[in-house]
Amino acid sequence: MHLNDAKLRALVSSTRRAYDENAAVYVRATGTLDLFPGLDHELDRFFDALPGSSVLDLGCGAGRDAEYLIGRGAAVVAADLSAELLRHTRSRCAVDGAVLCDLLALPLAAGVFDGVWACASLVHLPSGAHPRVFSEIHRVLAPGGVTAISLKEGNGEGWARSARMPSPRWFSLRRPEAVVDELAAAGFVSARVLPSGRGSWFVVEARKGLPAEPFVGVGPR
Ligand SMILES: C[S@@+](CC[C@H](N)C(=O)[O-])C[C@H]1O[C@@H](n2cnc3c(N)ncnc32)[C@H](O)[C@@H]1O
């Protein structure tokens, strides 16, 4: 779904309020890896695919994944819309930076990260805005850099309440094939859809090419 910029800004403000006001509840519900079967393997797979150690955790939430990646040897910059969640992340692990931001326009230099980890953060933007975020991720990655993006599979989008948080949030369900097409259009040279241990969630891993490298295809699921 496409929303105009004013509606998109209003949606992002609601998301920020929801996470800031419910940060403590959200940290309790999502703050440890044992609550997400298989996520440690997804993080290992991502880390092992990186050409270097600098990682942007985009939509870091409770800091669970930043902490794990730092434990693996990554230098992690945590980024989120919620000042409360960023504060929590900074207090739990030694991030290299904490950036208050909107996924739609990252206040970060181009070409600096070996990896961008975006676990369940794009789900809160309308699907029509996802290509803009994919372009931003492509921009901040160094050549050869890798992104892993987790999204929920399905059709449809809109406001919903979940068991984890009383405030309504926007949820976009996506078809993995469409996400791969959009990543290719954003300039990534390869993209593959990988399973996750979490119900209907899937991960798309994509790589930014070296100069003049053509799109080399889509891996099997
Ligand atoms: C479902 S939580 C996932 C958090 C964490 N990555 C995890 O897997 O537990 C979504 C996160 O994305 C952040 N977020 C949502 N919309 C965002 C936006 N437009 N820009 C930046 N962060 C956003 C939220 O503040 C929240 O921390």
Side-chain angles (χ1 to χ4, degrees):
M1 183 184 294
H2 285 274
L3 297 184
N4 66 33
D5 277 359
K7 286 191 171 153
L8 213 43
R9 273 197 301 278
L11 183 153
V12 170
S13 293
S14 296
T15 307
R16 174 184 286 120
R17 249 194 329 275
Y19 279 99
D20 275 342
E21 289 173 2
N22 297 283
V25 171
Y26 192 73
V27 167
R28 271 198 301 280
T30 67
T32 56
L33 277 173
D34 57 299
L35 297 165
F36 299 90
L39 186 54
D40 50 348
H41 296 300
E42 289 169 45
L43 283 156
D44 285 337
R45 188 172 60 199
F46 167 69
F47 184 74
D48 291 340
L50 298 181
S53 60
S54 64
V55 170
L56 175 66
D57 184 357
L58 202 47
C60 63
R64 176 199 67 226
D65 302 343
E67 181 178 66
Y68 185 83
L69 290 166
I70 290 168
R72 284 287 322 261
V76 176
V77 171
D80 206 281
L81 187 62
S82 160
E84 290 301 321
L85 290 174
L86 268 184
R87 198 169 298 130
H88 178 81
T89 297
R90 252 200 331 246
S91 73
R92 81 181 276 177
C93 58
V95 289
D96 270 26
V99 180
L100 192 61
C101 72
D102 181 357
L103 292 161
L104 292 164
L106 298 176
L108 294 162
V112 292
F113 293 102
D114 295 308
V116 175
W117 174 255
C119 184
S121 41
L122 276 84
V123 72
H124 294 318
L125 284 171
S127 59
H130 287 179
R132 211 152 123 185
V133 182
F134 298 151
S135 293
E136 279 295 84
I137 292 175
H138 187 270
R139 184 180 65 77
V140 301
L141 276 172
V146 172
T147 186
I149 299 166
S150 313
L151 282 161
K152 210 167 166 45
E153 184 161 4
N155 293 304
E157 53 194 292
W159 296 100
R161 287 178 207 275
S162 79
R164 290 211 174 97
M165 205 186 278
S167 311
R169 292 170 291 167
W170 185 275
F171 287 87
S172 290
L173 308 185
R174 297 302 314 270
R175 308 253 32 118
E177 309 74 37
V179 173
V180 165
D181 288 348
E182 290 168 17
L183 286 164
F188 287 91
V189 292
S190 68
R192 57 184 186 141
V193 181
L194 301 163
S196 98
R198 295 165 289 131
S200 56
W201 289 85
F202 63 94
V203 180
V204 180
E205 186 186 281
R207 192 169 67 79
K208 178 171 176 170
L210 303 169
E213 189 180 341
F215 188 76
V216 292
V218 178
R221 253 185 122 165

